[in-house]
């Protein structure tokens, strides 16, 4: 099956610093990628939809200046958490949809962000 | 508004004890439903896609079924390695490609 690689798997940072998370589709081209956030024992909450070559679409309540998304190529999307604070600590997961319009989403392995 | 409800929230089974997980949804123009398995600290792993009412799919001890209003994930003679959180997700009515996730059912299978 299709593979989505997410890096890093875990990051610990100090409050006020920025953290970048990468999401790559390894064996297919992804015109659309999705970024989710998951708190302990809760389900996945969509943060934003990332479209190659255009601006991301953010879900209601998600600060676009806080969570910067860049989708510069058909295989790479990045999420940067700017000026991170402890309340940003969470599990972030990306998913990619292949360009042929298949609605099946393939997920990365997730990134556990801990802000001290 | 799109909504997905999964029940039960948690399920404990003895090894070999079969059961079913439920996923109820209200989504306009349903274009399929996905089932995922998620292990702690990992991203969801794809299990099944169901596209129309009456469709069934099987994989090892798992079988997924779909009606117009709900989907079931049947687990036959589960093993401890089946312990995980199972998530269902239909595509959003908005047809933007995003999935609407239920809160999941956390399954624990004891030996």
């Amino acid at each position: 099956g299709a593979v989505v690689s997410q890096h890093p798997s875990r990051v610990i940072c100090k409050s006020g610093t920025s953290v970048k998370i990468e999401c790559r589709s390894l064996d297919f081209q992804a015109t659309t990628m999705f970024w989710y956030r998951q708190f302990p024992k809760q389900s996945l909450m969509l943060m934003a939809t990332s479209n190659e070559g255009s601006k991301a679409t953010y879900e209601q309540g998600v600060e676009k200046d806080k969570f910067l998304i860049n989708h510069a190529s058909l295989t790479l999307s990045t999420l940067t958490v700017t000026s991170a604070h402890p309340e940003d600590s969470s599990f972030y997961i990306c998913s990619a949809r292949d360009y042929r319009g298949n609605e099946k989403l393939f997920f990365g392995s997730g990134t556990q962000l801990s802000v001290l | 508004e799109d909504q997905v409800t999964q029940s039960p929230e948690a399920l404990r089974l003895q090894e070999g004890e079969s059961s079913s997980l439920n996923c109820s949804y209200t989504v306009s123009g349903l274009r399929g439903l996905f089932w995922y398995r998620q292990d702690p600290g990992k991203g969801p792993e794809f299990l099944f896609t169901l596209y129309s009412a009456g469709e069934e799919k099987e994989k090892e001890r798992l079988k997924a079924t779909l009606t117009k209003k709900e989907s079931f994930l049947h687990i036959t003679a589960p093993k401890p390695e089946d312990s995980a959180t199972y998530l269902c997700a239909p595509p959003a009515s908005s047809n933007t490609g995003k999935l609407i996730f239920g809160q999941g059912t956390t399954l624990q299978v004891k030996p």
Side-chain angles (χ1 to χ4, degrees):
Chain A
V3 177
V4 175
S5 173
Q6 186 172 342
H7 179 80
S9 59
R10 182 177 295 272
V11 59
I12 301 173
C13 68
K14 293 183 179 180
S15 184
T17 60
S18 294
V19 174
K20 180 185 282 188
I21 303 170
E22 292 189 350
C23 180
R24 296 179 183 272
S25 57
L26 298 184
D27 56 356
F28 67 102
Q29 293 179 319
T31 53
T32 303
M33 291 186 175
F34 301 89
W35 288 95
Y36 291 83
R37 182 173 182 176
Q38 186 176 36
F39 291 105
K41 299 189 184 300
Q42 294 187 24
S43 191
L44 284 73
M45 297 299 297
L46 182 66
M47 298 175 64
T49 302
S50 170
N51 298 297
E52 187 268 337
S54 63
K55 291 183 178 180
T57 303
Y58 291 82
E59 295 298 300
Q60 190 172 10
V62 178
E63 300 176 59
K64 62 180 181 180
D65 295 330
K66 174 91 176 153
F67 300 99
L68 300 180
I69 291 173
N70 184 279
H71 194 156
S73 76
L74 284 171
T75 60
L76 174 64
S77 176
T78 61
L79 168 68
T80 301
V81 183
T82 62
S83 186
H85 288 94
E87 57 266 30
D88 298 323
S89 299
S90 187
F91 191 56
Y92 294 86
I93 313 173
C94 71
S95 65
R97 176 185 176 189
D98 76 48
Y99 77 101
R100 288 162 292 187
N102 186 336
E103 290 198 81
K104 183 189 296 184
L105 293 187
F106 301 99
F107 285 85
S109 56
T111 298
Q112 182 63 52
L113 171 63
S114 299
V115 184
L116 305 179
Chain B
E1 179 184 355
D2 295 339
Q3 285 192 331
V4 181
T5 303
Q6 290 187 247
S7 62
E9 288 189 13
L11 182 62
R12 290 184 178 183
L13 299 173
Q14 289 295 129
E15 184 172 3
E17 180 185 2
S18 302
S19 188
S20 296
L21 283 55
N22 177 263
C23 171
S24 299
Y25 52 85
T26 53
V27 175
S28 299
L30 185 71
R31 296 179 310 285
L33 184 134
F34 300 96
W35 280 97
Y36 289 88
R37 168 191 171 130
Q38 186 177 25
D39 292 298
K42 300 290 180 63
E45 174 189 345
F46 172 78
L47 292 174
F48 303 108
T49 306
L50 300 168
Y51 287 105
S52 58
E55 187 175 0
E56 297 183 354
K57 289 199 176 169
E58 291 188 59
K59 179 181 179 180
E60 296 182 351
R61 295 175 292 281
L62 301 176
K63 182 170 79 173
T65 62
L66 182 68
T67 71
K68 289 185 179 180
K69 295 289 186 183
E70 58 191 350
S71 178
F72 292 93
L73 185 65
H74 307 279
I75 303 177
T76 302
K79 298 182 177 181
E81 53 262 42
D82 295 322
S83 298
T85 295
Y86 292 86
L87 300 165
C88 70
S93 299
S94 58
N95 198 22
T96 54
K98 64 183 181 182
L99 299 183
I100 308 299
F101 279 89
Q103 77 277 24
T105 293
T106 299
L107 172 65
Q108 183 180 20
V109 182
K110 294 189 173 184

